[in-house]
């Protein structure tokens, strides 16, 4: 079923993105996966084409496009290329860090940081998760204590996407017994140390690292947003983060189905195409139906996000459903590839490893169901991610 989500403008944008992905990404995906590192020049090339900072106002070097459908086009094309790590690298700014800087940074911070982030000169990250606090962010131990005209930051973070390369880190810290705030920590600040680059199951091209803060002194103006409102700032922007994970999950499922249709039409077994077996046709029919039905809901969520009406509950539904669908689809598609599905030269194998984290990061499936369930029975929705 053809989605009606996109307009002619989006399809013109898609043509440019397709060419970029075909020439700058697809030939190198496996090379970057093996090296555990995406070529740093990719960010600059993406910045030149206006693929970074799509939501950032034009006066700060961004695209000035508050229409999330342009970001969806980019996710579609990266999913078709099996480039989940690249999506995490490029999307980390647009879907995670960018909204905080655009909404909460001072004019001076915006002028100094946003143009260089949009051009790809600088990299960014957001540091929330800690060794003992993932979904339950109220359990974090990193603290920021006011000392005159400075804040003193102490603690550690883990599983930070782009953490090893980030020049600017939005950091979540405890500023009181029940208060939390956000801070901008920049590369080179004394006491700010990068830890191990963590070895991941999938999305190996994009780094995920530890961070340590040892008496890091930050000027008072490095507070991002309102003191004590850090948790509220996070909650206000989580629907966009969760939609990015949900939408890429759906795009990845659609890509996996297309690869599998092509494979089963060509591959032969017992004198006939794999696609000619009833079991194959039934499996493909089920996956195609589930994807089409899911796209109808995701399309509505994207439009709601554009309108500013997408709720935390609606985003939670989208996130858990689409990522579970992604994992289920890719697993069944790999099975239809037979032994070749287990070989990394086939994109389905890489997609299988890349997909597993999507039901975990951004809030686990269990947390998403808890948010939806508590809303249904009339209880207060908790604050976990």
């Amino acid at each position: 079923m053809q989605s009606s989500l996109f307009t002619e403008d989006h399809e013109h944008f898609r043509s440019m993105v397709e060419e970029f992905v075909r020439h700058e990404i697809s030939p190198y995906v496996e090379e970057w996966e093996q090296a555990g590192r995406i070529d740093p020049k990719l960010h600059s090339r993406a910045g030149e084409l206006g693929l970074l900072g799509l939501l950032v106002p034009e006066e700060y070097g961004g695209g000035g496009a508050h229409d999330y459908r342009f970001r969806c086009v980019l996710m579609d094309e990266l999913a078709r290329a099996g480039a989940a790590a690249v999506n995490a690298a490029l999307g980390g700014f647009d879907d995670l860090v960018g909204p905080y800087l655009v909404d909460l940074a001072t004019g001076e911070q915006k002028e100094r940081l946003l143009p260089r982030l949009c051009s790809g000169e600088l990299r960014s990250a957001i540091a929330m998760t800690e060794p003992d606090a993932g979904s339950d962010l109220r359990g974090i131990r990193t603290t920021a204590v006011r000392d005159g005209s400075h804040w003193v930051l102490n603690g550690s973070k883990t599983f930070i996407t782009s953490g090893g390369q980030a020049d600017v880190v939005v950091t979540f810290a405890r500023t009181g017994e029940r208060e939390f705030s956000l801070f901008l920590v920049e590369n080179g600040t004394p006491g700010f140390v990068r830890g191990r680059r963590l070895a991941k199951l999938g999305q190996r091209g994009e780094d995920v690292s530890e961070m340590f803060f040892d008496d890091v002194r930050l000027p008072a103006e490095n507070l991002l947003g309102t003191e004590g409102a850090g948790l509220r700032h996070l909650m206000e922007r989580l629907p966009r983060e969760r939609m990015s994970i949900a939408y890429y999950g759906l795009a990845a499922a659609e890509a996996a189905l297309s690869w599998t249709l092509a494979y089963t039409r060509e591959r032969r077994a017992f004198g006939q195409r794999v696609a000619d077996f009833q079991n194959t046709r039934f499996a493909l029919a089920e996956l195609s139906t589930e994807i089409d039905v899911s796209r109808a809901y995701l399309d509505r969520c994207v439009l709601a996000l554009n309108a500013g009406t997408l709720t935390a509950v609606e985003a939670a539904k989208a996130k858990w459903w689409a990522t579970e669908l992604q994992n289920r689809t890719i697993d069944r598609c790999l099975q239809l590839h037979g032994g070749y599905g287990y070989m990394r030269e086939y994109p389905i194998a890489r997609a299988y490893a890349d997909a597993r984290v999507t039901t975990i990061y951004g809030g686990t499936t269990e947390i998403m169901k808890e948010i939806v369930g508590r809303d249904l029975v009339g209880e207060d929705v908790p604050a976990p991610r």
Side-chain angles (χ1 to χ4, degrees), residues 228-240:
L231 200 58
R232 175 167 57 83
H233 291 328
L234 292 183
M235 298 301 292
E236 289 169 348
R237 287 153 190 85
L238 279 175
R240 183 185 178 101

Side-chain angles (χ1 to χ4, degrees), residues 91-142:
F93 176 48
D94 269 279
D95 295 324
L96 298 178
V97 180
Y100 293 90
L101 295 179
V102 169
D103 297 341
L104 304 174
T106 65
E108 184 277 330
Q109 290 166 339
K110 291 178 183 179
E111 292 175 2
R112 180 167 53 86
L113 298 174
L114 286 176
R116 299 168 72 193
L117 286 164
C118 291
S119 70
E121 178 187 350
L122 298 182
R123 298 284 302 274
S124 62
I126 188 164
M128 293 183 277
T129 303
E130 299 185 0
D132 296 319
S135 293
D136 182 12
L137 285 176
R138 285 194 175 95
I140 66 162
R141 298 181 180 179
T142 297

Side-chain angles (χ1 to χ4, degrees), residues 5-6 10-11 13-22 25 42-43 45-47 49-55 67-84 86-95 240 244 247-248 251-252 295:
L5 181 64
F6 302 108
H10 301 114
E11 296 307 331
F13 180 69
R14 187 185 302 279
S15 296
M16 184 266 287
V17 173
E18 284 178 339
E19 183 175 357
F20 172 71
V21 172
R22 182 167 58 252
I25 295 174
L42 181 67
H43 267 72
R45 293 195 285 269
L49 291 174
L51 300 179
L52 292 175
L54 293 171
L55 84 161
D67 185 347
Y68 195 68
R69 289 175 290 183
F70 288 102
R71 173 76 179 111
C72 293
V73 168
L74 182 56
M75 287 191 278
D76 282 340
E77 300 310 314
L78 291 173
R80 289 191 180 106
V86 177
N87 181 65
L90 299 183
F93 176 48
D94 269 279
D95 295 324
R240 183 185 178 101
S244 72
Y247 191 92
Y248 190 84
R295 174 158 279 284

Side-chain angles (χ1 to χ4, degrees), residues 77-288:
E77 300 310 314
L78 291 173
R80 289 191 180 106
V86 177
N87 181 65
L90 299 183
F93 176 48
D94 269 279
D95 295 324
L96 298 178
V97 180
Y100 293 90
L101 295 179
V102 169
D103 297 341
L104 304 174
T106 65
E108 184 277 330
Q109 290 166 339
K110 291 178 183 179
E111 292 175 2
R112 180 167 53 86
L113 298 174
L114 286 176
R116 299 168 72 193
L117 286 164
C118 291
S119 70
E121 178 187 350
L122 298 182
R123 298 284 302 274
S124 62
I126 188 164
M128 293 183 277
T129 303
E130 299 185 0
D132 296 319
S135 293
D136 182 12
L137 285 176
R138 285 194 175 95
I140 66 162
R141 298 181 180 179
T142 297
T143 60
V145 178
R146 190 66 183 259
D147 182 20
S149 62
H150 287 72
W151 290 90
V152 180
L153 190 65
N154 282 284
S156 64
K157 302 291 181 178
T158 193
F159 305 148
I160 308 306
T161 300
S162 299
Q165 304 174 60
D167 302 285
V168 183
V169 182
V170 175
T171 305
F172 184 62
R174 182 181 295 276
T175 49
E177 183 178 351
R178 296 184 180 179
E179 290 188 355
F180 306 88
S181 302
L182 296 173
F183 297 89
L184 284 179
V185 181
E186 297 182 49
N187 191 28
T189 303
F192 173 39
V193 178
R194 318 302 175 101
R196 293 179 302 145
R197 181 179 178 132
L198 303 172
K200 309 192 302 296
L201 172 65
Q203 301 187 25
R204 289 188 269 177
E206 174 61 355
D207 84 89
V208 167
S209 304
E210 299 172 320
M211 291 181 172
F212 299 96
F213 308 92
D214 185 11
D215 286 335
V216 176
R217 293 186 65 83
L218 300 173
E221 56 266 27
N222 278 40
L223 175 72
L224 189 62
T226 303
E227 180 182 343
L231 200 58
R232 175 167 57 83
H233 291 328
L234 292 183
M235 298 301 292
E236 289 169 348
R237 287 153 190 85
L238 279 175
R240 183 185 178 101
E241 176 187 349
R242 288 175 176 153
M243 270 305 303
S244 72
I245 299 170
Y247 191 92
Y248 190 84
L250 176 64
E254 291 175 333
L257 179 60
S258 69
W259 302 332
T260 306
L261 284 168
Y263 180 84
T264 56
R265 287 166 180 163
E266 294 293 329
R267 181 69 173 173
R268 300 186 69 83
F270 300 100
Q272 61 181 342
R273 301 182 308 168
V274 172
D276 293 329
F277 289 96
Q278 185 185 65
N279 177 73
T280 302
R281 295 197 305 273
F282 279 16
L284 294 173
E286 291 169 6
L287 294 175
S288 177

